[in-house]
């Protein structure tokens, strides 16, 4: 044996080649098992022929390393040159592989770097994403319920960054969708022959409650009721709400004259009551109608029985707090068509909203011209139909995904679910319920209660930002996807958003796409701000929702169905099915997860005719609203 430390003592040991550059072996194994279960490349390179070559080298050098003479030196040199020549391709491949894995590791580290959360990309390249969110639980650190799946998602996104593959994620999967065309604005022959309807019965006043989208539904229902009762509709009023705190009226959001002109052949609409009726005490006369006087989703027969006599007697009826008080079925064909005409054609945002909405859309797309019917319908002539001379199509991304993440504190508290925030979260939400939902707490005392786990299995819990991120990653949207987030008051703030912004850092809101001066006219007007979100979501290339019961999600998805021409996909995850998938978060493989997510979304995109009793605003594919070619 050679002395310790001598060259002869440096045997070439049979050790594995470490080319992970900081990525753990089990992470590579999980990546490779996604593609057929082969062992990782690093492990294969350390065995087989590679080990055989090491044995050859060790034997060739044994006892001869430092007994040099010219003939032996030449012999050894030739042998080494022969070995290098024989294995030059393997060496080159190994070097390239090491470089690739180094880049992959760098990208994974970049994705998981917490500092990224403070430097999220904006579409302007230099400004930081500043999403206005609640910070109630941020001090406790990020809340993550599915860390293992998030790790797999990050690895999958990192892998996809190196693939230049075409994606069908931005298209509707079923070509039948393009066979449905808008046609609710076509006036029927019966209405044309009858001419302009005359005011026979009296005047209808509407005071609509709720936010922008609830008020929109109330206006369309009021138009249908006015037609049903052959009455004149006064331009609706919007009630001030302590929740929304918005004094906006109809004319602040919608174009009054356009609204009246679009519907003039079918419904009489005026801006104010005649002077002789303004002094009438409607409540004293018994003509004040509240929710208690009408069933939810009332039928036409109920209106004729209860409302028409009051209208004929007092000439005025005032619907106070009017909202969801007209059913969808059974309803005459003409009334259904009129509701669609009102929603999809007569309600146009005022130029102030259209102008700022066009800025929003153009900045996120980096395109300065209209590209679809949705653009033209929502933005009018305030966005050009052809590119400007200065326009450069290669400037940046032309597609974006809009996400309506319904995870505000009111939604979270009302659901009675838990979201991993522990005792602090439970106390916060219970306090909020006591202040804002006392009737809910009283009702729960008298009814069967379900545990948070049962509610989640039943699909009653709103999706968290983390779950939304996993759905998008499961569908295959890349790390660099541009995402417009509608709304901004996410419960839990940046702490709760960390999983989403880590996987998808190019997330923006209207607050960081628009300057403070551009947003100033909309401050303290929540409905007008909601109108900007409506525009950005409706004109997006893909619209993703997390709660199908939301009014914004319902109206936007219906608008995209009506004007999208089969090219405006909407992603609708099933909360119940997603809960079942995520219940296996500790064991499910990423390929299996992707397959289940894609199947769930695919089923939600199938082209279906509106079912009985379904909202005509959300499901306009029916003979009253659309024509099939």
């Amino acid at each position: 044996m050679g002395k310790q430390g001598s060259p002869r003592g440096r045997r070439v040991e049979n050790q594995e080649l470490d080319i992970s550059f900081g990525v753990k072996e089990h992470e590579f194994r999980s990546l490779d098992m996604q593609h057929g279960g082969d062992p990782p490349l690093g492990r294969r390179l350390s065995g087989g022929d590679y080990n055989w070559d090491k044995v050859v080298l060790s034997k060739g050098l044994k006892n001869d390393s430092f007994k040099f003479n010219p003939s032996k030196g030449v012999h050894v040199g030739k042998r080494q040159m022969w070995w290098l020549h024989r294995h030059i391709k393997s060496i080159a491949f190994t070097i390239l592989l090491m470089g690739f894995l180094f880049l992959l590791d760098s990208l994974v580290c970049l994705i998981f770097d917490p500092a990224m959360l403070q430097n999220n990309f904006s579409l302007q390249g230099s400004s930081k994403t500043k999403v206005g969110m609640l910070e109630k639980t941020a001090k406790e650190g990020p809340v993550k319920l599915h860390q293992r799946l998030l790790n797999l998602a990050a690895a999958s996104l990192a892998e996809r960054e190196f693939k230049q593959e075409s994606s069908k994620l931005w298209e509707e999967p079923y070509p039948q969708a393009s066979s449905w065309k808008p046609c609710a604005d076509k006036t029927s022959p019966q209405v044309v022959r009858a001419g302009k309807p005359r005011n026979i019965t009296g005047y209808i006043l509407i005071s609509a409650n709720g936010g922008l989208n609830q008020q929109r539904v109330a206006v369309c229902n009021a138009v249908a009721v006015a037609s049903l009762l052959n009455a004149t509709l006064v331009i609706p009023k919007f009630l001030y709400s302590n929740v929304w705190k918005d004094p906006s009226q109809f004319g602040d959001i919608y174009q009054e004259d356009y609204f009246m002109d679009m519907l003039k052949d079918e419904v009489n609409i005026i801006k104010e009551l005649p002077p002789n009726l303004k002094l009438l005490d409607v409540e004293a006369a018994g003509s004040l109608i509240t929710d208690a006087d009408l069933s939810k989703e009332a039928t036409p027969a109920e209106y004729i029985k209860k409302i028409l006599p009051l209208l004929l007697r007092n000439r005025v009826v005032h619907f106070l707090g009017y909202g969801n008080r007209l059913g969808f079925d059974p309803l005459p064909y003409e009334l259904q068509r009129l509701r669609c005409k009102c929603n999809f054609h007569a309600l146009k945002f005022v130029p102030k909203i259209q102008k700022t909405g066009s800025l929003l859309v153009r900045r996120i797309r980096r395109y300065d011209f209209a590209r679809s019917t949705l653009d033209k319908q929502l933005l009018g002539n305030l966005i050009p139909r052809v590119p400007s001379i200065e326009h450069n199509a290669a400037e940046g991304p032309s597609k974006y995904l809009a996400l309506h993440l319904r995870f505000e504190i009111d939604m979270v508290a009302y659901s009675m679910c838990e979201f991993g925030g522990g005792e602090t979260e439970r106390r916060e939400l219970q306090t909020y319920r006591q202040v804002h939902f006392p009737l809910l707490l009283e009702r729960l005392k008298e009814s069967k209660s379900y545990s948070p786990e049962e509610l989640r299995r039943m699909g009653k819990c709103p999706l968290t930002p983390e779950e939304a991120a996993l759905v998008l990653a499961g569908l295959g949207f890349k790390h660099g996807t541009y995402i417009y987030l509608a709304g901004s008051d996410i419960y839990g703030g940046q702490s709760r958003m960390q999983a989403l912004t880590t996987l998808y850092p190019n997330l923006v809101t209207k607050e960081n796409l628009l300057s403070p001066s551009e947003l100033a006219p909309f401050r303290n007007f929540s409905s007008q701000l909601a109108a900007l979100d409506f525009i950005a979501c409706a004109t997006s290339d893909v619209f993703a929702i997390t709660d199908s019961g939301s009014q914004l999600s319902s109206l936007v998805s219906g608008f995209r169905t009506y004007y999208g021409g089969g090219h405006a996909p909407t992603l609708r995850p099933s909360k119940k099915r997603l809960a079942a998938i995520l219940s296996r978060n500790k064991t499910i493989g990423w390929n299996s997860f992707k397959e289940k997510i894609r199947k769930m979304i695919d089923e939600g995109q199938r082209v279906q005719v509106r079912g009985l009793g379904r909202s005509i605003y959300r499901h306009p594919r029916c003979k009253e609203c659309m024509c099939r070619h």
Side-chain angles (χ1 to χ4, degrees), residues 31 35 100 103-111 116 121 152-166 169-170 472-473 476-482 502-506:
L31 274 173
H35 302 283
F100 168 77
L103 290 174
L104 179 64
D105 179 62
S106 299
L107 183 57
V108 171
C109 291
L110 182 65
I111 291 174
M116 284 292 295
F121 299 124
L152 293 176
S156 177
L157 292 182
E159 185 181 13
R160 285 183 61 84
E161 288 300 307
F162 296 97
K163 294 182 179 179
Q164 300 297 323
E165 57 187 22
S166 60
L169 295 168
W170 303 92
L472 295 179
F477 285 98
K478 289 190 174 183
H479 177 66
T481 300
Y482 284 82
T502 300
L503 290 182
Y504 294 101
N506 290 343

Side-chain angles (χ1 to χ4, degrees), residues 28-38 155-156 159 163 590-591 594:
F28 276 112
R29 186 181 298 118
S30 66
L31 274 173
D32 283 289
M33 290 304 287
Q34 296 170 25
H35 302 283
D38 291 335
S156 177
E159 185 181 13
K163 294 182 179 179
W590 185 248
N591 281 342
K594 288 194 301 182

Side-chain angles (χ1 to χ4, degrees), residues 349-362:
F349 292 123
V350 294
K352 165 188 165 184
I353 293 175
Q354 288 183 329
K355 180 180 179 181
T356 307
S358 69
L359 282 178
L360 205 58
V361 173
R362 289 152 73 177

Side-chain angles (χ1 to χ4, degrees), residues 22 25 43 150 160 217 252 263-264 306 324 357 379 383 392 396 435 462 466 548 583 594 598:
E25 177 187 331
R43 294 178 62 84
L150 288 173
R160 285 183 61 84
V217 169
D252 298 317
L263 299 171
K264 66 182 179 181
K306 293 184 177 181
N324 194 20
L379 302 173
I383 185 167
N392 179 7
V435 175
E466 176 185 352
S548 58
S583 68
K594 288 194 301 182
R598 291 181 181 183

Side-chain angles (χ1 to χ4, degrees), residues 524-544:
N524 303 319
F525 298 101
S526 61
S527 291
Q528 296 180 45
L529 287 170
L532 297 179
D533 278 338
F534 189 105
I535 289 172
C537 289
T539 60
S540 65
D541 297 279
V542 175
F543 179 48

Side-chain angles (χ1 to χ4, degrees), residues 267-285:
V267 180
N268 279 340
I269 303 176
I270 59 176
K271 294 186 178 181
E272 294 182 349
L273 275 175
N276 63 312
L277 292 175
K278 284 184 177 181
L279 300 178
L280 177 68
D281 188 336
V282 177
E283 185 175 5

Side-chain angles (χ1 to χ4, degrees), residues 610-627:
R610 183 183 77 92
L612 188 68
R614 306 297 294 274
S615 167
I616 208 159
Y617 308 116
R618 179 181 174 183
H619 304 281
R621 287 194 187 106
C622 59
K623 61 181 181 180
E624 296 92 344
C625 290
M626 303 184 74
C627 301

Side-chain angles (χ1 to χ4, degrees), residues 359-374:
L359 282 178
L360 205 58
V361 173
R362 289 152 73 177
R363 284 176 184 170
I364 192 169
R365 283 184 185 161
R366 296 187 180 177
Y367 266 63
D368 63 357
F369 62 96
R371 299 189 306 161
S372 69
T373 304
L374 281 163

